[in-house]
DNA sequence: TGATTTATTGGACAGTGTTCAGTATCACGC
DNA sequence: GCGTGATACTGAACACTGTCCAATAAATCA
């Protein structure tokens, strides 16, 4: 067949990413299939490769969307909160991971070939989330120490992430930990408190 | 063919795990192949399934071996160190992840089917590493607080793990973090210091 | 109306995990 | 020595995967 034109190229890309994201949420990275995405949007596997160029690029697009949804969740969660904003941010981290288990895990399950860097769009998505958290951390610091917000935020994000990973992958279950979010919150409080 | 008997069943299992572990180190979880393991030990794919029962069980056996090597590395690294033992432990964490990138990542890339629990042997391997670290954390705490060592260690392990993950998967590169291990060490110092 | 560009297809290829009927070899009882 | 099981091992078959690309249909342009 030839051009079908019910969708522009950008629309088609958008539709494929949306369907791919749903598929990822349902089956997870290990059982994700590009053919299945094609099937779901009513196109053939070849079209997926025409639009995205490679399997990796498709995954990257889907993970990028997950990051955008994650940021969205974080923003909404902080929108009408006055107190304990850092704690709410941690809660949002865990909530998103729990609610979107598979899509969230896919962000970390997928690895680009070595010596390959993610595209600028994707990196921007990561930084966008980071920037939101930096602002919160800065707010929690005394004015004299606010220039330390960025390195501190990197470390605190890693800290929360570690707790979230162990909660999601069963490590904490093996070790008998039952309040991962609380533990993460303690570490964050200590780190911020010591500069106060 | 029939029974070949150059190896007992246990020997064969051992050989397969060793070869599988090497294969994993070379190509990583995404490109790991059970057929390739079979080829490397000079048996057919069927034998792999006879010995391990399933792909998942093979991966679990290989990851179990990685955990054992990791524990070994940690023990050796702490063997003749008097000062800064916690810091050395963190260094050992990062070292092992760096030196065995693929095998280390496979521990977290692989996920058992939902509602499935890893076999007791595997759990014991995880706890063995945990126990080593608990002893170090307890030693670093004042006598009156040593009963808090276990929950604290779970949290600190997660903290260090988070930093290591972000260092290995490129997140820290995107965010401009250049001393992940130092950042992790700071968080650990704070948490331990506050109880001192 | 051609000629050309573009979008889309789906078969072909090499690889995967998984199963299992078939076969070769051993150990043992007679 | 000779059956008779039990055991170890094989590899073809199946349904799937990512990847590529010659063929084709439709839209656009000259």
């Amino acid at each position: 067949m030839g051009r079908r034109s019910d969708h522009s190229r950008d629309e088609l890309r958008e539709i494929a990413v949306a369907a791919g994201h749903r598929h990822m949420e349902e089956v997870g990275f290990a059982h994700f299939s590009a053919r299945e995405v094609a099937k779901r949007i009513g196109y053939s596997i070849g079209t997926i490769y025409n639009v995205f160029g490679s399997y990796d690029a498709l995954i990257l697009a889907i993970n990028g969307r997950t990051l955008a949804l994650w940021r969205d969740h974080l923003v909404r969660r902080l929108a009408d909160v006055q107190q304990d904003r850092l704690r709410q941010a941690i809660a949002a981290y865990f909530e998103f991971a729990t609610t979107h288990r598979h899509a969230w895990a896919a962000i970390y399950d997928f690895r680009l070939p070595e010596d390959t860097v993610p595209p600028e769009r994707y990196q921007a998505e990561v930084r966008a989330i980071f920037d939101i958290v930096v602002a919160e951390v800065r707010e929690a610091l005394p004015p004299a120490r606010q220039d330390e917000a960025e390195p501190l935020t990197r470390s605190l994000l890693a800290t929360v992430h570690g707790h979230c990973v162990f909660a999601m992958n069963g490590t904490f279950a093996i070790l008998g930990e039952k309040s991962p979010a609380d533990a993460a919150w303690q570490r964050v409080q200590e780190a911020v408190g010591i500069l106060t």
Side-chain angles (χ1 to χ4, degrees), chain A:
Chain A
M1 304 173 197
R3 90 170 41 178
R4 202 149 71 175
S5 87
D6 9 345
H7 304 299
S8 79
R9 210 62 178 182
D10 282 356
E11 282 170 353
L12 185 50
R13 197 188 156 90
E14 166 65 22
I15 291 170
V17 172
H21 187 266
R22 280 194 299 274
H23 176 43
M24 185 67 86
E25 291 222 331
E26 288 169 23
V27 304
F29 183 71
H31 298 105
F32 179 89
S33 149
R35 272 190 167 84
E36 174 64 23
V37 176
K39 205 174 294 177
R40 290 188 179 208
I41 64 174
Y43 281 79
S44 83
I45 175 64
T47 297
I48 294 289
Y49 272 79
N50 288 340
V51 173
F52 293 95
S54 72
Y55 182 79
D56 287 9
L58 170 61
I59 301 288
L60 231 24
I62 290 171
N63 284 351
R65 157 158 304 222
T66 304
L67 287 175
L69 291 173
W70 197 359
R71 188 186 69 214
D72 203 59
H73 179 76
L74 185 57
V75 170
R76 285 178 200 281
R77 195 68 161 63
L78 290 173
D80 37 35
V81 172
Q82 267 78 37
Q83 291 180 329
D84 281 338
R85 287 177 67 87
L86 272 183
R87 182 167 205 178
Q88 298 293 326
I90 295 174
Y93 205 105
F94 277 79
E95 276 167 17
F96 189 85
T98 306
T99 315
H100 304 79
R101 294 186 73 87
H102 287 142
W104 177 80
I107 296 175
Y108 305 101
D109 289 344
F110 174 67
R111 228 144 283 151
L112 243 19
E114 324 204 22
D115 313 326
T116 308
V117 138
E120 186 50 47
R121 272 211 202 107
Y122 186 89
Q123 295 194 33
E125 213 66 76
V126 174
R127 282 196 216 94
I129 293 181
F130 176 71
D131 290 342
I132 292 171
V133 184
V134 169
E136 299 300 329
V137 171
R138 187 175 287 122
E139 203 68 27
L141 292 177
R145 316 297 296 263
Q146 292 187 350
D147 55 329
E148 299 174 44
E150 293 210 4
L152 181 58
T153 302
R154 288 195 290 262
S155 181
L156 294 185
L157 263 185
T159 300
V160 173
H161 180 72
H163 283 75
C164 197
V165 168
F166 276 6
M168 302 297 292
N169 75 3
T171 304
F172 270 156
I174 293 177
L175 300 180
E177 178 60 60
K178 284 167 185 169
S179 310
D182 291 345
W185 171 231
Q186 275 190 39
R187 301 285 86 72
V188 171
Q189 275 183 295
E190 288 166 4
V192 171
I194 238 162
L195 299 181
T196 309

